Amino acid sequence: MGRILALDFGKKRTGVAVTDPLQLIASGLTTVETKQLIPFLNDYCSREVVDVFVVGLPKQMNNQPSESEVLIQPFIKTLKKAFPNISVEREDERFTSKMAFQSMIDSGMTKKQRQNKAIVDEISATLILQSYLNRK
């Protein structure tokens, strides 16, 4: 059984989270500059077995796709082309940034640490992955 890798895709950077090989636990992995994401995934997938990519699905409150979906669709096409044997699934990512920020506060991170957007993106990816695992 391979890992499940989740992406909180962003214009500048993308948060990455991954499961353990048994697909039980979601953990933050890193944040990658979006323009370096495919090379990063190539490297990661050469070292680890990945069964599924879970890409966040940004929606507005009325269930309509948010503006950032326009950026995500071309990325998903590139992802499927680069990794034709790994399925791509989507997971609602509404409120993940707010939840990530709140979890940073709850864990006692300083204001300066909470301003690090890369950490927010990584935690958001972890929340997307955990939501996917809970639904699965």
Side-chain angles (χ1 to χ4, degrees), residues 2-129:
R3 297 175 187 268
I4 300 171
L5 195 137
L7 303 169
D8 179 30
F9 186 85
K11 190 174 184 178
K12 293 181 182 178
R13 70 191 158 273
T14 297
V16 183
V18 68
T19 64
D20 60 297
L22 296 176
Q23 301 180 356
L24 299 173
I25 301 168
S27 302
L29 182 62
T30 190
T31 302
V32 180
E33 285 185 48
T34 298
K35 61 186 176 191
Q36 295 298 318
L37 188 54
I38 295 295
F40 170 83
L41 294 173
N42 272 321
D43 180 58
Y44 186 84
C45 291
S46 72
R47 293 180 279 113
E48 299 286 345
V49 176
V50 175
D51 288 345
V52 180
F53 290 120
V54 178
V55 180
L57 177 61
K59 290 183 178 181
Q60 298 175 11
M61 291 305 295
N62 64 1
N63 265 350
Q64 295 298 312
S66 78
E67 298 164 7
S68 56
E69 183 67 11
V70 174
L71 300 171
I72 295 172
Q73 283 302 317
F75 167 72
I76 289 176
K77 286 181 184 172
T78 302
L79 185 65
K80 287 180 177 180
K81 192 173 185 179
F83 302 95
N85 297 324
I86 301 175
S87 66
V88 177
E89 298 195 27
R90 306 296 303 275
E91 185 66 30
D92 190 344
E93 66 172 50
R94 278 180 285 194
F95 308 116
T96 56
S97 293
K98 288 179 183 172
M99 290 167 52
F101 192 74
Q102 187 59 51
S103 73
M104 293 168 80
I105 291 170
D106 294 346
S107 69
M109 292 180 101
T110 65
K111 186 174 183 178
K112 186 170 179 122
Q113 290 171 316
R114 293 191 308 260
Q115 291 172 341
N116 184 344
K117 301 280 190 218
I119 294 173
V120 174
D121 293 338
E122 183 179 327
I123 294 171
S124 293
T126 307
L127 293 169
I128 291 167
L129 183 52

